[in-house]
Amino acid sequence: MKMEDIAKLAGVSKSAVSFALSGKPGISNKTRERVLEIARENGYTPKPRLSGIEGSVKSLSFLVFTNSGIVLEEYYQQPFFRELIHFIEERCRAKGYSLLFSTINMANFDQEIVTFAEDNQSDGVILLGTNLTPIDISEIAKRLGPSLVVLDNCFDTLPVHFVGINNRMGAYQAGSHLCQLGHREIGYIASNVNLHNFEDRKDGFQEALKKYDIQILPEHHFSVAPTMLSSQEDLKTQIKAYLATGRPLPTALFCECDYIAISAMKTLTELGIRIPEDVSIIGFDNITESQIISPELTTVHVEKQRMAQLAVDLVIESIEVGQEITSKIRVDTLFVERHSSVTYKQ
């Protein structure tokens, strides 16, 4: 039996199985117990990890700081991160490296980053930087040294390797699309958690609208939790309050990520607002669920496979070749038009 088989039986990701078998944090006790029970019942024995002296096993660590912003404790079940991890694991295997998982709760940042640095036996680290600030990343880099790549974020002034998304480009594509469809009353649904990626998306979207001499009115700004795929009472309250003023809704809404877009579609539908007949909606990320929702979501595709490959290759290059000069890589986006956005008709 392989880890993949245990994952299927337990109904979890391979990453969750790895966490459970290695005793690492990052999953609930209930999930850990279920995985371990299935492993015992099927006689699964993890392969022993060879010591550094034997030198035949090379490994990278995937390090995540949870419970801050969009990255939850069970982040590996969130669609965007689940897909990203899959591609990282694939690239590591192709390059002859194993992938270890480590999770640190942001509440214990100072203590646990010291412990991780002291105990870490991997050759290099890929750090999920989605929810981290420049100060956080500077402190982590100081502890972990040069064989570190930060994934899904980018701060130009830090001497650290970054692989991120061209967020401005993606949001610019979304804004241009709505304007070209004839929409002039356009709204914006933001995350109620501030993230660097989302700030860049807002800038790119507003830049596109400015080209068409369009501004988002203050009353057309809404905000919601960025980690829910279900309808949200908070957004429902905001929309109801807006409609109570007697003003029509914007004819289109841009959402800072697909989680928000899918949640908005469900919320608006519950209020009797039709997508896209009454309101066009665009998301960002192109997670798998964007094609399951009805109507299928128009969104900005993030090339997660390319990002994963670049991150793995960059950290391996740092390990095997050595790099004094760090790199900042932003992967361009691709706009994907589906059925949640249509031409505006007066």
Side-chain angles (χ1 to χ4, degrees), residues 80 163-173 201 284-286 300-307 310 328-336:
F80 181 88
V163 176
I165 305 164
N166 191 340
N167 290 289
R168 292 178 67 95
M169 175 182 181
Y172 185 91
Q173 292 169 329
R201 292 175 191 182
F284 199 116
D285 286 332
N286 196 27
V300 177
H301 176 69
V302 173
E303 187 48 53
K304 306 169 197 72
Q305 183 172 13
R306 179 66 174 155
M307 289 174 62
L310 287 167
K328 308 286 185 290
I329 303 174
R330 288 183 175 88
V331 178
D332 286 348
T333 56
L334 179 67
F335 189 76
V336 180

Side-chain angles (χ1 to χ4, degrees), residues 189 222 224 231-244 249 253 262-275 278-279 281:
I189 306 184
F222 306 94
V224 295
S231 64
Q232 297 192 46
E233 286 301 318
D234 184 32
L235 180 59
K236 191 176 291 186
T237 299
Q238 293 175 56
I239 298 296
K240 284 181 176 179
Y242 177 88
L243 292 174
L249 279 174
L253 292 166
I262 292 171
S263 177
M265 290 172 69
K266 292 180 178 180
T267 302
L268 291 171
T269 298
E270 289 179 3
L271 291 172
I273 299 167
R274 300 170 301 167
I275 312 297
D278 299 327
V279 179
I281 288 186

